[in-house]
Amino acid sequence: MGSDHLGDHVPADTMYRVEAETHFGWPYCFQSGPRKLPDPKLNARSAKMNCSRVPAAFAAFDAHSSPLGLEYFDERQSHELKNSFFFGLHGSTKKQLKRGYRVVRLTTDDSLTRTPEDFINGFLQGLKVRGRPVDILNYGPNAFLLTDDFAGVVYYVYKK
């Protein structure tokens, strides 16, 4: 999750492919779209780190979407889950931003557009919060559990 002190629209919440001996910029740099920028509070005028050397994120989520839960489903899963990361996007405390409040899927293919796609939504309707996804747990080849700390429930999500 990115820093809160940079405003409503930056930084992106990011996911990186971990590589040995690589500095991913935090807390000195942040990503906004394809750009990697210095944090003005912690790295004014790039004095502590050159952000252009930071690798681009593997995937990025809207600022303040708050990806709390993460689960990977490998090749043994059903087609809908297979070779994918699933994220519980808890959502911003500023409901008017309408960010998060959903479960998204990110496939591990080599496409350049690593854009998370909605898998479950409807937890925010207008400005009415119906739920806040937190974590995801693999529960067999065709199912997972999803926790919701707003509704105080655990959903069993499965293929019919």
Side-chain angles (χ1 to χ4, degrees):
M1 291 186 354
S3 299
D4 278 341
H5 68 270
L6 294 168
D8 289 345
H9 305 291
V10 294
D13 290 331
T14 52
M15 175 184 179
Y16 289 89
R17 184 183 314 254
V18 176
E19 299 169 8
E21 307 298 321
T22 302
H23 193 302
F24 296 95
W26 190 87
Y28 306 112
C29 305
F30 66 91
Q31 187 165 326
S32 178
R35 299 178 352 185
K36 296 162 288 180
L37 305 165
D39 183 308
K41 274 187 168 178
L42 302 171
N43 189 20
R45 295 176 307 282
S46 298
K48 293 185 180 174
M49 181 173 203
N50 180 348
C51 297
S52 67
R53 294 186 183 145
V54 173
F58 177 79
F61 306 95
D62 291 334
H64 306 289
S65 58
S66 301
L68 296 184
L70 162 68
E71 184 71 75
Y72 178 70
F73 295 87
D74 63 21
E75 67 281 344
R76 295 173 288 184
Q77 307 300 318
S78 68
H79 175 71
E80 292 81 9
L81 303 177
K82 181 174 162 176
N83 298 323
S84 298
F85 290 98
F86 281 77
F87 299 86
L89 301 182
H90 196 241
S92 174
T93 54
K94 293 182 179 179
K95 294 178 286 190
Q96 66 273 18
L97 292 177
K98 298 183 179 181
R99 307 236 178 87
Y101 299 96
R102 57 197 169 117
V103 173
V104 297
R105 174 180 181 228
L106 180 67
T107 61
T108 57
D109 66 15
D110 286 332
S111 71
L112 297 175
T113 59
R114 294 186 179 96
T115 303
E117 60 182 314
D118 280 4
F119 193 79
I120 301 173
N121 56 29
F123 293 102
L124 182 66
Q125 297 173 351
L127 293 180
K128 178 75 175 164
V129 176
R130 303 285 183 194
R132 296 187 82 185
V134 180
D135 204 5
I136 298 164
L137 177 67
N138 185 335
Y139 203 69
N142 297 310
F144 61 86
L145 300 175
L146 170 64
T147 62
D148 176 342
D149 71 354
F150 181 84
V153 298
V154 176
Y155 297 101
Y156 174 57
V157 181
Y158 63 97
K159 181 179 179 180
K160 276 184 136 180

